[in-house]
Amino acid sequence: MRISLGFLVLALASSSYAIPNKGAYQVKEEVNVPRGWVKHAEAPADHTITLRIGLPQPNFNVLEKHLYEVSDPEHERYGSHLSKEEVEELIAPHSESLDAVNNWLSSHGLQETDLVRSPAKDWVTIRVPVAFAEKMLDTKYNVWKHTASGDTLVRTTSWSLPKELHQHVDVIQPTTMFGRLRSAKSTIVWGDDEAEARVAANAKTSVEASTGATISANGREVDASCDKVITIKCLQQLYNAVGYTPKKTTKSTIGIPGYLEEYANIQDLQSFFAEQRPDALNSTFKFIGIKGGENPQNLTLSGAEAALDVQFAFGLSYPIPGTYYQTASRPPFQPDVRTPTNTNEAYVDWLDFVLAQKDTPLTISTSYGDDEQTVPKSYAIRACAGFAQLGARGVSLMFSSGDYGVGDNNPDPATQECFTNDGKNTTRFIPVFPSSCPYVTSIGGTQGVPEVAVSRFGSGGGFSDYFPRPLYQFAAVQKYINALPKDHYKGLYNKAGRAFPDVAAQGDRYRIYLKGVPRSIGGTSASSPTFAGFVALLNDARLSAGKPPLGFLNPLLYSSVVERAGALNDITSGSNPGCGTPGFNATEGWDPVTGLGTPNFGKLKDIVLRGY
């Protein structure tokens, strides 16, 4: 970072916005330290952080209106998505906000060359030492340690701005963000090579030789082996996609964001293709690294999450082109080592990058998330608004709904901590973000043939404490709530909140290749790339017929068009226990375990090929 040598001259010359004294500052945001975090040390004064300053988007309500109109199959504008430039024009801040923030930054000696602006100028990014950030925000940064994992972050619990600047800044991070980005996977691990070889041999037998057929909930015959091992063939049979061959493979595209140094190994992908998708053998994906993200091909570094995502998303949608993103995230901070950056808001780093691109994959699946309450509401709202921008541009976004039911993603029910972070420690179900964002499609998990809600780890689901219930799901969700016993789980969830998941797919016993060895893996991390694979095929069908891509899916999925056609397989058995409760039940219609159900590709294809 370069601070101007003319700092004092600049400060005195800025008559419109001189450096405010400390008394002029007022607290803009304050949070309680989430459970599990303890103050570890003072942050070194010269530790560098990258501050992202979010300016208001005064016309976002107009963008939202466009989003819902172009995503509603019964609206005359269905499919008339906006361009990148049209979206940016709608989210641009007012000139007054730009001037106010520019003057504030200038008053601290920052020049235009020290700033990085988003294309719409609604974000300004600066890299500054901790001591400098503390002065700008009238705050104190510390090193905080997560007692269970050992993770460390440089954060503060409150920050301030001059009073007159409050209306011109929505959010500044990293400040109060204590979220711990995690994947929604649950892996079966074997303790020794002999046991591993035994399981692999048994799984291979199941894959290669079916012992008969069973009937799925939609009345289709499915190989009996699919009750034990999930493969590409099983998913095609279960979801009525056998025999479909993509045609517009230069237009329909699919993308997978990766985080937490999860590397997608091409050798593992080839082993998977050789076994389950031989026509895809020797094909691969495009790799894009963000913020220094890499994808080394040392087989020992192959990541389970990455393997699951790319093998099934790209295997189901082949030969549709696939892209794998790796965003460098959460570099470890050690107080005695001067690391150049320290942030764990990786999905927003990815979002910034993608929004700046002219062309993006039309279908994107993400298998990561945070406990909603560990993400400051101001930041969650801005990230969610970014997802809305992609939807308005014609991109279908899917997120895993999380694992371990209504709890805090802790696999041990006895130690789940289901408490609020508002200082009151009230018992509460824990929603998952970004799945709780109303502008994305949240994917829950099922298992077995016929399908029931996944039981080994529990499908995440519930109701947002940040976002109100959107109109597109109001009737379906209200029907579920009305059927609950009076005062059912009173106070444990927000009945008026955005409900999730929206839909579901198989979520356990997936057969992947990892580090050269076949393994079984599960989680809603499997459900999301699976559903996305079928969405990529639906996009291909529409593009082949000269129609625009699907874009934001939820208004379509909740529409009477889909309901009348029975294009989603309703799951009515199972639950998602957590927080010392049985959780919610799967039932007829929408439920906070499996949503509206699993896809019937054939029926969905017929719907999206109509005259919309």
Side-chain angles (χ1 to χ4, degrees):
M1 184 201 73
R2 181 172 63 259
I3 305 289
S4 171
L5 294 176
F7 167 80
L8 291 176
V9 176
L10 253 173
L12 294 172
S14 181
S15 59
S16 62
Y17 209 88
I19 298 177
N21 60 43
K22 185 172 181 179
Y25 271 68
Q26 288 188 0
V27 173
K28 173 68 174 175
E29 184 175 57
E30 188 170 12
V31 301
N32 290 287
V33 179
R35 294 173 66 89
W37 290 93
V38 295
K39 190 182 295 185
H40 184 65
E42 287 191 3
D46 59 348
H47 174 68
T48 303
I49 57 176
T50 302
L51 287 180
R52 295 166 38 83
I53 304 164
L55 282 65
Q57 301 168 333
N59 294 318
F60 179 78
N61 62 320
V62 180
L63 174 73
E64 184 184 47
K65 182 174 183 290
H66 281 289
L67 172 67
Y68 283 132
E69 288 180 354
V70 302
S71 306
D72 181 354
E74 299 182 87
H75 196 281
E76 62 183 1
R77 292 189 60 213
Y78 183 59
S80 299
H81 302 115
L82 304 183
S83 68
K84 173 180 179 287
E85 292 74 21
E86 288 170 331
V87 167
E88 290 168 357
E89 184 177 350
L90 286 172
I91 62 163
H94 285 322
S95 59
E96 293 87 348
S97 295
L98 284 169
D99 290 342
V101 171
N102 288 345
N103 287 335
W104 173 61
L105 294 173
S106 295
S107 76
H108 284 278
L110 293 165
Q111 300 178 350
E112 184 63 29
T113 51
D114 298 315
L115 317 179
V116 177
R117 299 186 189 273
S118 64
K121 295 184 169 58
D122 57 328
W123 286 101
V124 179
T125 303
I126 58 175
R127 292 185 63 211
V128 295
V130 159
F132 193 84
E134 289 177 338
K135 182 178 179 180
M136 290 181 68
L137 304 178
D138 188 27
T139 189
K140 175 63 181 172
Y141 278 90
N142 287 285
V143 179
W144 296 85
K145 185 172 184 177
H146 189 255
T147 53
S149 67
D151 289 348
T152 50
L153 295 174
V154 174
R155 294 294 186 266
T156 181
T157 56
S158 70
W159 54 277
S160 302
L161 289 174
K163 180 180 177 181
E164 57 269 34
L165 196 60
H166 280 217
Q167 63 180 315
H168 300 298
V169 173
D170 277 349
V171 61
I172 298 179
Q173 291 291 350
T175 49
T176 56
M177 173 86 168
F178 283 84
R180 296 180 61 246
L181 189 70
R182 59 176 180 262
S183 67
K185 66 170 171 52
S186 176
T187 311
I188 299 174
V189 179
W190 301 285
D192 58 72
D193 292 341
E194 183 180 348
E196 188 169 282
R198 229 176 12 251
V199 173
N202 292 339
K204 184 174 179 63
T205 300
S206 295
V207 170
E208 294 179 343
S210 172
T211 57
T214 187
I215 305 298
S216 69
N218 60 24
R220 301 184 63 82
E221 283 196 357
V222 178
D223 287 357
S225 62
C226 299
D227 208 29
K228 299 183 179 68
V229 180
I230 292 296
T231 64
I232 294 290
K233 182 180 179 182
C234 290
L235 296 168
Q236 291 170 334
Q237 291 176 341
L238 272 167
Y239 300 140
N240 191 18
V242 174
Y244 182 80
T245 302
K247 304 175 184 64
K248 283 289 183 180
T249 55
T250 59
K251 292 186 176 181
S252 182
T253 47
I254 183 168
I256 299 290
Y259 305 101
L260 306 180
E261 291 66 62
E262 280 280 336
Y263 305 127
N265 186 270
I266 295 173
Q267 183 178 331
D268 277 340
L269 180 65
Q270 297 307 317
S271 297
F272 176 83
F273 281 162
E275 180 183 89
Q276 296 192 35
R277 193 77 206 236
D279 56 329
L281 195 58
N282 298 321
S283 69
T284 187
F285 51 84
K286 179 181 179 181
F287 171 72
I288 297 177
I290 301 172
K291 291 289 185 74
E294 300 176 336
N295 194 39
Q297 289 303 297
N298 185 328
L299 195 62
T300 62
L301 299 178
S302 178
E305 180 62 68
L308 173 60
D309 284 343
V310 303
Q311 289 171 26
F312 274 89
F314 301 159
L316 281 166
S317 60
Y318 177 80
I320 292 171
T323 299
Y324 183 68
Y325 302 90
Q326 173 57 236
T327 304
S329 52
R330 295 203 301 134
F333 175 83
Q334 299 296 337
D336 57 345
V337 177
R338 301 297 186 248
T339 52
T341 58
N342 181 252
T343 178
N344 69 334
E345 294 125 41
Y347 55 81
V348 180
D349 287 337
W350 171 84
L351 184 57
D352 285 349
F353 174 86
V354 172
L355 284 171
Q357 308 306 306
K358 183 75 173 178
D359 298 308
T360 68
L362 295 175
T363 304
I364 296 175
S365 169
T366 303
S367 297
Y368 298 79
D370 290 332
D371 291 345
E372 184 184 71
Q373 65 175 354
T374 66
V375 181
K377 187 174 182 179
S378 60
Y379 198 69
I381 289 172
R382 281 302 294 262
C384 191
F387 299 136
Q389 293 171 48
L390 283 176
R393 288 171 55 177
V395 178
S396 300
L397 289 170
M398 279 138 282
F399 280 84
S400 301
S401 70
D403 294 347
Y404 305 108
V406 296
D408 66 348
N409 204 54
N410 185 336
D412 182 3
T415 58
Q416 282 189 347
E417 293 188 347
C418 303
F419 303 101
T420 59
N421 281 337
D422 57 4
K424 299 178 182 179
N425 288 333
T426 306
T427 302
R428 190 83 168 172
F429 292 160
I430 309 296
V432 175
F433 182 81
S435 233
S436 63
C437 169
Y439 311 125
V440 306
T441 302
S442 173
I443 317 295
T446 64
Q447 68 179 45
V449 184
E451 292 180 276
V452 299
V454 70
S455 62
R456 181 166 66 88
F457 49 84
S459 177
F463 301 81
S464 173
D465 286 322
Y466 285 177
F467 301 100
R469 188 192 311 166
L471 186 60
Y472 62 74
Q473 67 169 190
F474 192 90
V477 174
Q478 193 60 47
K479 181 180 178 182
Y480 177 85
I481 290 176
N482 289 344
L484 292 175
K486 185 179 179 181
D487 295 334
H488 187 67
Y489 294 149
K490 184 177 180 180
L492 292 182
Y493 69 98
N494 174 24
K495 289 184 178 181
R498 186 276 203 256
F500 70 100
D502 300 299
V503 286
Q506 284 279 322
D508 205 3
R509 301 186 179 121
Y510 276 62
R511 179 176 167 85
I512 65 167
Y513 272 79
L514 178 64
K515 305 183 193 304
V517 178
R519 290 185 180 271
S520 177
I521 190 171
T524 53
S525 278
S527 311
S528 187
T530 291
F531 201 95
F534 291 109
V535 172
L537 298 180
L538 292 173
N539 268 333
D540 172 81
R542 280 183 63 83
L543 293 165
S544 298
K547 299 179 183 298
L550 291 168
F552 178 42
L553 297 171
N554 292 6
L556 169 67
L557 295 173
Y558 285 90
S559 70
S560 59
V561 178
V562 168
E563 183 180 14
R564 287 195 303 269
L568 294 169
N569 310 310
D570 196 7
I571 310 302
T572 60
S573 180
S575 64
N576 57 354
C579 300
T581 76
F584 295 107
N585 289 326
T587 188
E588 183 178 345
W590 180 88
D591 57 69
V593 188
T594 60
L596 296 164
T598 59
N600 184 318
F601 173 80
K603 291 184 178 181
L604 287 170
K605 178 169 66 70
D606 291 343
I607 289 171
V608 302
L609 287 179
R610 294 178 188 173
Y612 302 125

